[in-house]
Amino acid sequence: MSEYFLGIDVSKGYADFILLDNKKNIIEKNFQLDDTFEGHHHLYSFLSSFIANTPDAYIITAVESTGGYENNWVNLLLKLQEDLPVSVARLNPFGVSHSSKADLKRVITDKISALCIAEYLINHRSKVSFAQEDYFAPLRKQWIFIKLLVKQKVQLYNQLESLLYSVNPEVLIFCKHGNLNGFYSCLKDILLQAVFLKLLFPR
C-alpha cells in the first residue's frame, strides 16, 4: 500500500489542498475549494478518481486546528472513510509553524501553509493522532451552551444586586450571609403584583 499525504490549509469559507507522496514529491498541485456542498463534492470526486487510478493508494489527510473552521472538512473526511481509504488528523498549529520555520519558510501563504501541513504529516507520521467520528459532539456543544447560560445568569444576578444596593441600601438586611433566594423570591412576587395591578388599572 502506497501512502499519500493531503495537506489542507483551512480558511474561513474555503481551503487550499496539496497532495504529496512519502518522498515529498508533489502529486497534485495546489487547488482551492469552497466550504460548500459543491466544494465537498469536488473533493470527494478528486479522491475517488485518484484512488480509482491508484488502487493501492492510502491517503492521509491533515488540517490545523483553527477554532472550528476545520470542522466541516474533518466531518466530511470522516464520512468518506466509509467508502474510501482515507484518514484525517487535526494538527497543532504551533507544531506546524515551528516545523516551517525550521525549514526556513519565511513567507507563508495559504498554498505554502498547505504544503507545510503535508510535510509535517510526513515528518511526524508516528506522532500524529487521527480523528475519530465524535457521536457526542452535538451533546457536548449543547452542554457548553448551557454552562454559558448559567454563567450569564450569575452575572445578571450580580448586576442586579449592585443596582439594588445603589438605589435602595435597605435591601441589605434581606441579603445577609449571601442567602439571596428568599430576597429574589420576594422581589419576583412584588414585580408580578406590580404587573398585575397595571393590567387591572391601566392609566
Side-chain angles (χ1 to χ4, degrees):
M1 181 175 290
S2 300
E3 291 184 337
Y4 295 87
F5 300 84
L6 184 67
I8 308 172
D9 180 63
V10 178
S11 300
K12 188 175 182 179
Y14 66 93
D16 287 87
F17 301 79
I18 190 170
L19 184 66
L20 308 181
D21 63 14
N22 56 7
K23 295 182 180 179
K24 300 183 182 179
N25 297 315
I26 296 177
I27 304 301
E28 183 69 26
K29 293 182 179 180
N30 288 89
F31 60 96
Q32 189 177 98
L33 298 175
D34 291 331
D35 190 3
T36 60
F37 175 80
E38 290 77 11
H40 295 177
H41 181 71
H42 190 93
L43 179 60
Y44 171 73
S45 299
F46 165 74
L47 294 175
S48 299
S49 176
F50 181 81
I51 291 170
N53 294 325
T54 315
D56 65 335
Y58 183 78
I59 301 178
I60 303 171
T61 69
V63 299
E64 288 181 315
S65 294
T66 56
Y69 291 139
E70 78 282 3
N71 287 342
N72 288 342
W73 297 106
V74 171
N75 291 334
L76 170 66
L77 291 164
L78 286 173
K79 291 179 181 178
L80 294 184
Q81 287 180 349
E82 299 175 2
D83 302 318
L84 302 174
V86 299
S87 59
V88 57
R90 294 179 193 260
L91 303 181
N92 187 323
F94 292 105
V96 178
S97 176
H98 289 313
S99 179
S100 64
K101 289 178 181 178
D103 292 337
L104 301 180
K105 292 184 175 69
R106 301 185 183 278
V107 179
I108 301 298
T109 63
D110 291 342
K111 292 181 179 180
I112 294 177
S113 183
L115 177 62
C116 291
I117 290 170
E119 290 180 344
Y120 180 89
L121 193 56
I122 295 170
N123 294 336
H124 305 280
R125 171 77 169 81
S126 60
K127 299 179 181 179
V128 173
S129 298
F130 291 92
Q132 302 292 330
E133 190 165 3
D134 188 358
Y135 297 100
F136 296 101
L139 290 177
R140 191 176 296 108
K141 186 176 181 180
Q142 187 67 18
W143 176 242
I144 292 173
F145 177 66
I146 291 173
K147 290 198 296 183
L148 177 62
L149 291 178
V150 172
K151 183 178 180 180
Q152 290 177 342
K153 177 183 175 182
V154 173
Q155 291 174 342
L156 290 173
Y157 272 152
N158 291 337
Q159 291 176 4
L160 176 61
E161 288 178 35
S162 177
L163 180 62
L164 288 174
Y165 293 166
S166 62
V167 174
N168 191 357
E170 288 78 6
V171 300
L172 284 171
I173 194 173
F174 300 101
C175 306
K176 290 182 178 180
H177 310 298
N179 185 11
L180 303 177
N181 291 332
F183 171 72
Y184 287 138
S185 178
C186 181
L187 180 62
K188 179 181 177 182
D189 292 339
I190 293 172
L191 292 175
L192 288 175
Q193 289 177 14
V195 172
F196 184 68
L197 290 173
K198 188 173 183 179
L199 291 174
L200 286 179
F201 306 103
R203 292 183 179 180

